[in-house]
């Protein structure tokens, strides 16, 4: 049974606002069939794929290798406008840029592009809003609006790759890394996310040719979906947002823990590591006086060592304050002690550099507000 449809109702997005079918929703056979439907020979499907995935072009009027007479028809049938940028906000001297998009049905969505000396990372959204209701997260407060379509996920990547190529963020560059850490729980929109990952990682012209190792899919721990992802044969990095090693607190911090408790999540993570050979990332937002106690660091280290051995790395995330929230980041000395204790258990652990904090673009801050 489909993992997503087996989830409680709260995890199923309402079926409203269905986005128009787009070229990026289709696989190779679908693209050929769509071209044929327009009376175009098979080679045109390949040409369109090159335009979209290699030249990063989604505007048929710019596709100069297509006969001028058919560009408009191709545009209307296969390249409807999926997202319109409403606002770009930059910070970190212009190296971090958050974009607010409006989708065809008015749904708002955000993605964040971060330039580093050695890589360019795009943080993308997989759902509009999120139904997981983590109390410390801005996105979770608004609930789930709807699932994004494959093309709505993929087109965030195309737009960012194009912006980088065209030098919109300084020196022209190439998009190298994708993290599914924006709005939404990626594994609750399983089929579309996996389809999008295949398009992100397939070589041109069937995809953007970004290495699977450079793609991170994060989850709050939907254990059956983690196992299913392990069996897909695309060795992306799995990031599990654990946030605490004990069920008692996790039941409130990450409500889905009531369904799949810590032990089950770690078992699924082990299966992922064994099947893909990839080390699993454990995300841990350190919250003052909530989950930052020394005994929790010891317990986290011990549980991870037992479950995953060397196949795990802990990313501590200093909590990003959200407006009006009572949650706060831990003091630096508490953070250092936490790291030391986890490492003492033989588990690798570092503090993540949190980019974009001042533009509310860091993890758990994507609330897509228009104001
Ligand atoms: S932390 Fe992630 S899973 Fe939890 S509510 Fe926020 S976006 Fe959803």
């Amino acid at each position: 049974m489909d993992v997503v449809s087996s989830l409680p109702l709260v995890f199923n997005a309402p079926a409203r606002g269905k986005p128009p079918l787009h070229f990026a929703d289709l696989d190779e056979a679908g693209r050929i069939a769509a071209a044929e439907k327009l009376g175009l020979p098979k080679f045109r499907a390949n040409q369109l794929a090159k335009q979209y995935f290699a030249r990063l072009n989604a505007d048929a009027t710019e596709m100069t290798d297509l006969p001028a007479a058919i560009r408009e028809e191709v545009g209307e049938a296969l390249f409807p406008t999926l997202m319109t940028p409403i606002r770009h906000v930059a910070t970190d001297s212009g190296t971090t840029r958050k974009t607010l998009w409006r989708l065809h049905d008015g749904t708002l969505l955000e993605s964040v592009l971060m330039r580093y000396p050695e890589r360019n990372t795009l943080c993308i959204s997989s759902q509009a809003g999120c139904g997981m209701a983590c109390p410390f997260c801005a996105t979770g407060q608004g609930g789930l609006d709807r699932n994004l379509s494959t093309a709505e996920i993929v087109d965030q990547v195309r737009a960012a790759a194009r912006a980088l190529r065209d030098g919109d963020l300084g020196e022209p560059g190439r998009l190298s890394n994708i993290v599914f850490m924006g709005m939404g729980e990626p594994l609750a929109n399983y089929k579309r996310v996996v389809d999008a990952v295949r398009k992100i990682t397939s070589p041109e012209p069937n995809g953007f040719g970004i290495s699977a190792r450079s793609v991170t899919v994060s989850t709050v721990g939907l254990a059956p979906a983690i196992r299913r992802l392990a069996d897909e044969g695309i060795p992306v990095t799995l990031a599990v947002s654990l946030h605490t090693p004990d069920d008692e607190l996790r039941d409130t911090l990450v409500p889905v823990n009531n369904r799949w408790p810590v032990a089950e999540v770690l078992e699924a993570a082990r299966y992922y590591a064994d099947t893909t050979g990839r080390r699993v990332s454990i995300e841990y937002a350190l919250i003052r006086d909530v989950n930052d106690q020394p005994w929790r660091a010891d317990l986290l280290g011990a549980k991870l060592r037992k479950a995953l051995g060397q196949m795990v790395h802990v990313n501590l995330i200093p909590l990003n304050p959200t407006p009006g929230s009572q949650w706060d980041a831990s003091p630096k000395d508490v953070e250092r002690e936490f790291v030391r204790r986890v490492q003492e258990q033989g588990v690798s652990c570092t503090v993540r550099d949190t980019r974009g904090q001042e533009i509310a673009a860091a993890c758990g801050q994507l609330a897509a507000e228009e104001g």
Side-chain angles (χ1 to χ4, degrees), residues 51-72:
Q51 282 284 357
Y52 186 84
F53 290 109
R55 294 194 199 159
L56 308 173
N57 195 359
D59 179 353
T61 61
E62 287 177 17
M63 297 180 185
T64 48
D65 54 356
L66 282 184
I70 61 166
R71 285 181 211 158
E72 199 178 322

Side-chain angles (χ1 to χ4, degrees), residues 76-159:
E76 273 171 21
L78 296 176
F79 296 94
T81 302
L82 292 174
M83 330 186 296
T84 312
I86 299 183
R87 193 173 63 212
H88 298 293
V89 187
T91 186
D92 301 322
S93 312
T95 56
T96 299
R97 186 173 82 158
K98 176 168 82 164
T99 303
L100 180 67
W101 303 95
R102 192 196 306 277
L103 305 183
H104 82 287
D105 59 352
T107 300
L108 297 176
L109 159 73
E110 289 179 335
S111 55
V112 185
L113 186 52
M114 293 157 279
R115 293 205 74 164
Y116 297 91
E118 73 295 357
R119 66 184 193 278
N120 295 310
T121 300
L122 178 69
C123 175
I124 56 175
S125 297
S126 55
Q127 299 181 304
C130 183
M132 298 291 144
C134 305
F136 57 89
C137 165
T139 307
Q141 304 319 300
L144 178 64
D145 195 348
R146 69 172 171 84
N147 279 326
L148 299 187
S149 66
T150 301
E152 285 171 331
I153 299 169
V154 170
D155 213 44
Q156 294 173 61
V157 178
R158 183 201 60 81

Side-chain angles (χ1 to χ4, degrees), residues 90-288:
T91 186
D92 301 322
S93 312
T95 56
T96 299
R97 186 173 82 158
K98 176 168 82 164
T99 303
L100 180 67
W101 303 95
R102 192 196 306 277
L103 305 183
H104 82 287
D105 59 352
T107 300
L108 297 176
L109 159 73
E110 289 179 335
S111 55
V112 185
L113 186 52
M114 293 157 279
R115 293 205 74 164
Y116 297 91
E118 73 295 357
R119 66 184 193 278
N120 295 310
T121 300
L122 178 69
C123 175
I124 56 175
S125 297
S126 55
Q127 299 181 304
C130 183
M132 298 291 144
C134 305
F136 57 89
C137 165
T139 307
Q141 304 319 300
L144 178 64
D145 195 348
R146 69 172 171 84
N147 279 326
L148 299 187
S149 66
T150 301
E152 285 171 331
I153 299 169
V154 170
D155 213 44
Q156 294 173 61
V157 178
R158 183 201 60 81
R162 188 176 164 121
L164 274 168
R165 181 198 67 191
D166 294 350
D168 294 359
L169 279 86
E171 278 289 295
R174 201 177 155 77
L175 185 60
S176 57
N177 293 64
I178 305 293
V179 294
F180 282 81
M181 290 188 180
M183 298 168 76
E185 160 57 47
L187 298 186
N189 187 12
Y190 187 88
K191 281 186 187 155
R192 296 174 195 91
V193 164
V194 168
D195 191 9
V197 168
R198 290 195 192 285
K199 283 167 177 141
I200 290 166
T201 57
S202 294
E204 293 170 4
N206 292 319
F208 299 114
I210 294 173
S211 155
R213 305 179 78 86
S214 305
V215 176
T216 300
V217 173
S218 80
T219 177
V220 279
L222 310 192
I226 291 174
R227 289 170 182 273
R228 189 175 169 195
L229 183 66
D231 293 332
E232 294 283 353
I234 15 173
V236 295
T237 301
L238 177 74
V240 176
S241 300
L242 202 65
H243 303 320
T244 188
D246 56 302
D247 286 323
E248 197 186 347
L249 177 59
R250 197 164 191 269
D251 280 349
T252 59
L253 275 188
V254 185
V256 75
N257 195 70
N258 290 283
R259 174 101 190 242
W260 293 293
V262 173
E264 253 184 77
V265 173
L266 294 184
E267 261 171 45
R270 174 81 220 189
Y271 181 77
Y272 192 87
D274 286 346
T275 310
T276 61
R278 303 300 318 281
R279 201 162 73 149
V280 172
S281 287
I282 296 291
E283 309 294 304
Y284 197 109
L286 209 58
I287 312 172
R288 183 200 286 257

